[in-house]
Amino acid sequence: MSGAVIENMSTKKLFFLGFVILGFQVLSIMVGALIAPSPTSAIRYLATKCINRHRVHGWLMPWGSNRCQQVNSFDEPLAKTLDANDIVFAVHIPLPNTQMSPWFQFMLAVLQFDIAFKMINQIEEDVIITIDAGLAHRDDLKSEWTTARHSVEQRPLRCTFSVPKTYENEGRFYHCDPIPIMQLGSVAHKYFLINLRLPVNDTVNVGIGEIKDINLVGIHQNGGFTKVWISMKTVFTPWIFVASVWYWHRIGLLARPPVLLEKVILALGVSMTILNVPVEWLSLGCDWTWMLLLEDAQQGVFYATLFCFWIIFCGEHLMDQSQRNRLSAYWWQVGLVMFGSSILLVFDLSERGVHLNNPFYSVWASEIGTNISITFILVAGTSVCLYFLSLCGMVRCVFRNIGGKIQQLPAMPEARRLRYKGMIFRFKFLMLVTLACAAITVIFFILNQVSDGHWLWGAYTLQVHSAFLTGVYGMWNLYVFTIIFLYAPSHKHKRNNSGDIQQTGV
């Protein structure tokens, strides 16, 4: 990596580049804070209790000209004549006079049960609730509903009662954890209808208490945020792609084959380009339910490449080591990254992969699935911890070697001294930039957690959640661009080959 741009760039130019990059970073933050709305919206729907005495196969509408026969409360005289199997909870998404849009990208549905306490009908410990769920869609209010999926799912019902269980407290409601029920990877239709039934017999839905109402919370990405997000990806894609092509062209002009570090920098640019590709433009006109899985895979490729780059960069700066420029020298660190990434990929396929066929599926619904998922996460987390311990150890070794070389610099020949000074400067600069990126990520994450989603700044409303997402996304693009630009071979390497005193050799 001798003769890189960063070694031949003057301090004035380097500071100017730093201010330009900082300006783009602030711009990416302000785009999310001032232009983009909140990333997601959550809308609460109260399920309508429809009567289906004969359990006719069909879709029950909660409102409109063909709405179902309803009961407002289970305390009504009519409701007392019904069996629990005669009730279907119907939810129309969205609310009347509105419609869904492909710009929403995805949709999640979470159930919240209102269960009253009764001494003779209490919720049992570790009870499982069985839900007969159906999903349909259509694109206008007059056409028939098209069945998308029908499934019988089981979910653990976890509820607490904050006051003593006595007759005086009958009628009070339990506090129950929300139950995820559905996930759609695309919102390609304007209207959705969910019908839920809680079948009851001697073994099913026994000990679930007295259910009064079911609330469904629909969560989707805001269309305004999607437009800002796709626009940023559209801008960054050609930028990083051109930078990667320019970088590899510079490498090809050298009179030697590319070294390992140069190859991994190219891989970092390619992985960032893959992450940036705005496939969402095409998904707006297609029902691509695999978009969430694709986005996870893109992020996984980028972060795996980034972790490998950090390891190899530190290893290649361990001066005077016997093994360099060989991927096999980092086999166990890179192996940890690949192993952890594979574990997370398998876990993602077990959840979102099944959603491609059954949006009501959840790997957390069963005890076995929960245990397997926790095991996968723990194994992947252990791999990440071992990786970072190894990375910290390599950084410590490099800084220790740097300290020793700095003391020896005055006694070295001029060419060797310049070589080590360039390596030391490159390493310290990258560590400074990397630490700054990590610190910004942590700071924004904390602000994202402790804030209520937005701040007021004079007459403007700053969307903290959007600023966090656009800021971090812009930061990693700028980080990759900085690495590609500064560690590309300098145009001065031709001069150096003809006798410049800065030529240090490989």
Side-chain angles (χ1 to χ4, degrees):
M1 288 295 291
S2 59
V5 172
I6 191 174
E7 296 179 17
N8 296 283
M9 180 178 287
S10 65
T11 304
K12 182 179 179 180
K13 292 181 179 178
L14 188 60
F15 273 105
F16 176 76
L17 176 65
F19 278 115
V20 172
I21 295 297
L22 182 61
F24 278 109
Q25 176 62 66
V26 173
L27 179 62
S28 65
I29 295 174
M30 298 312 294
V31 165
L34 296 177
I35 300 178
S38 178
T40 58
S41 291
I43 302 175
R44 179 179 292 272
Y45 303 89
L46 177 62
T48 300
K49 295 179 279 291
C50 295
I51 300 175
N52 188 14
R53 289 182 184 272
H54 304 291
R55 302 171 196 173
V56 178
H57 295 289
W59 295 99
L60 302 179
M61 269 286 291
W63 47 264
S65 58
N66 58 340
R67 66 179 182 178
C68 63
Q69 184 182 4
Q70 306 172 6
V71 292
N72 296 323
S73 172
F74 290 127
D75 296 326
E76 294 180 3
L78 176 61
K80 296 183 182 299
T81 65
L82 299 173
D83 183 78
N85 294 297
D86 298 332
I87 298 297
V88 173
F89 295 88
V91 177
H92 185 281
I93 300 176
L95 296 170
N97 302 320
T98 57
Q99 62 185 30
M100 304 296 284
S101 168
W103 289 100
F104 293 164
Q105 294 291 294
F106 66 87
M107 182 170 62
L108 307 176
V110 179
L111 298 181
Q112 183 72 59
F113 287 92
D114 292 338
I115 304 177
F117 170 71
K118 292 290 184 180
M119 287 294 293
I120 61 174
N121 189 12
Q122 300 185 30
I123 298 179
E124 298 178 358
E125 295 290 335
D126 301 323
V127 67
I128 300 296
I129 187 170
T130 301
I131 305 172
D132 187 347
L135 174 68
H137 58 72
R138 64 183 182 183
D139 291 313
D140 60 77
L141 296 175
K142 297 181 180 180
S143 61
E144 296 294 327
W145 289 102
T146 301
T147 302
R149 183 66 188 179
H150 179 269
S151 178
V152 178
E153 299 292 331
Q154 292 183 331
R155 298 288 191 272
L157 182 61
R158 301 184 179 94
C159 300
T160 58
F161 198 61
S162 58
V163 296
K165 295 181 179 179
T166 61
Y167 285 101
E168 289 77 10
N169 291 321
E170 281 193 345
R172 290 177 178 265
F173 287 91
Y174 287 89
H175 175 74
C176 297
D177 294 341
I179 298 177
I181 189 62
M182 186 189 69
Q183 182 182 81
L184 291 178
S186 69
V187 187
H189 303 281
K190 297 180 180 179
Y191 308 102
F192 294 88
L193 179 63
I194 299 177
N195 281 182
L196 305 172
R197 191 171 64 88
L198 306 179
V200 177
N201 56 39
D202 294 338
T203 59
V204 177
N205 286 333
V206 177
I208 62 173
E210 186 173 323
I211 297 177
K212 295 294 187 180
D213 281 303
I214 297 179
N215 293 278
L216 185 143
V217 180
I219 303 170
H220 60 78
Q221 186 165 294
N222 280 326
F225 179 82
T226 303
K227 294 176 182 179
V228 172
W229 187 257
I230 299 179
S231 299
M232 290 187 65
K233 298 184 73 172
T234 304
V235 171
F236 278 122
T237 298
W239 186 10
I240 301 299
F241 176 76
V242 171
S244 301
V245 172
W246 169 83
Y247 170 81
W248 197 243
H249 174 70
R250 284 292 184 93
I251 296 296
L253 295 178
L254 299 178
R256 58 169 175 80
V259 299
L260 176 62
L261 186 55
E262 293 168 342
K263 294 178 181 178
V264 78
I265 290 178
L266 175 66
L268 187 64
V270 171
S271 65
M272 191 76 252
T273 303
I274 293 175
L275 179 63
N276 287 338
V277 174
V279 187
E280 292 84 353
W281 284 119
L282 300 178
S283 69
L284 295 177
C286 305
D287 189 8
W288 289 354
T289 57
W290 41 265
M291 282 300 299
L292 292 178
L293 188 60
L294 175 64
E295 292 174 3
D296 288 346
Q298 289 175 315
Q299 294 179 15
V301 169
F302 169 69
Y303 284 113
T305 307
L306 181 65
F307 288 170
C308 292
F309 166 72
W310 286 341
I311 281 290
I312 294 174
F313 187 88
C314 293
E316 295 299 287
H317 283 77
L318 284 173
M319 304 173 187
D320 299 331
Q321 65 173 337
S322 58
Q323 293 186 342
R324 295 184 62 192
N325 197 29
R326 293 170 51 192
L327 186 60
S328 59
Y330 312 97
W331 67 270
W332 80 272
Q333 294 100 331
V334 174
L336 279 175
V337 174
M338 295 297 104
F339 177 73
S341 301
S342 301
I343 290 294
L344 293 177
L345 176 61
V346 172
F347 172 74
D348 204 44
L349 287 174
S350 65
E351 179 76 13
R352 289 185 173 171
V354 180
H355 283 158
L356 302 181
N357 184 52
N358 181 11
F360 295 109
Y361 172 80
S362 175
V363 71
W364 303 95
S366 64
E367 184 177 354
I368 296 178
T370 299
N371 293 336
I372 294 177
S373 300
I374 293 176
T375 301
F376 274 33
I377 294 174
L378 290 177
V379 171
T382 302
S383 301
V384 171
C385 292
L386 292 175
Y387 163 83
F388 277 107
L389 288 176
S390 175
L391 180 62
C392 292
M394 296 184 73
V395 172
R396 179 177 175 272
C397 291
V398 175
F399 275 110
R400 184 177 59 191
N401 288 355
I402 285 176
K405 293 301 178 183
I406 289 178
Q407 297 177 358
Q408 301 174 16
L409 286 179
M412 289 183 180
E414 184 175 10
R416 189 174 181 85
R417 183 174 69 250
L418 290 174
R419 172 174 177 256
Y420 279 127
K421 287 178 67 176
M423 293 178 68
I424 291 170
F425 180 72
R426 288 202 309 270
F427 183 80
K428 288 186 174 180
F429 179 83
L430 179 66
M431 288 298 102
L432 179 62
V433 174
T434 301
L435 290 175
C437 291
I440 291 174
T441 302
V442 173
I443 291 172
F444 270 89
F445 179 78
I446 294 174
L447 291 176
N448 190 41
Q449 297 301 312
V450 302
S451 71
D452 58 355
H454 62 274
W455 290 348
L456 296 180
W457 183 34
Y460 298 96
T461 299
L462 302 182
Q463 294 292 341
V464 179
H465 295 175
S466 299
F468 169 73
L469 295 175
T470 59
V472 170
Y473 175 68
M475 178 190 67
W476 287 118
N477 273 278
L478 295 172
Y479 176 82
V480 172
F481 173 79
T482 303
I483 297 300
I484 291 175
F485 177 74
L486 292 181
Y487 294 94
S490 173
H491 67 280
K492 297 180 181 180
H493 77 278
K494 295 182 179 179
R495 259 190 343 183
N496 295 342
N497 290 337
S498 62
D500 195 289
I501 62 172
Q502 292 184 5
Q503 172 62 29
T504 60
V506 178

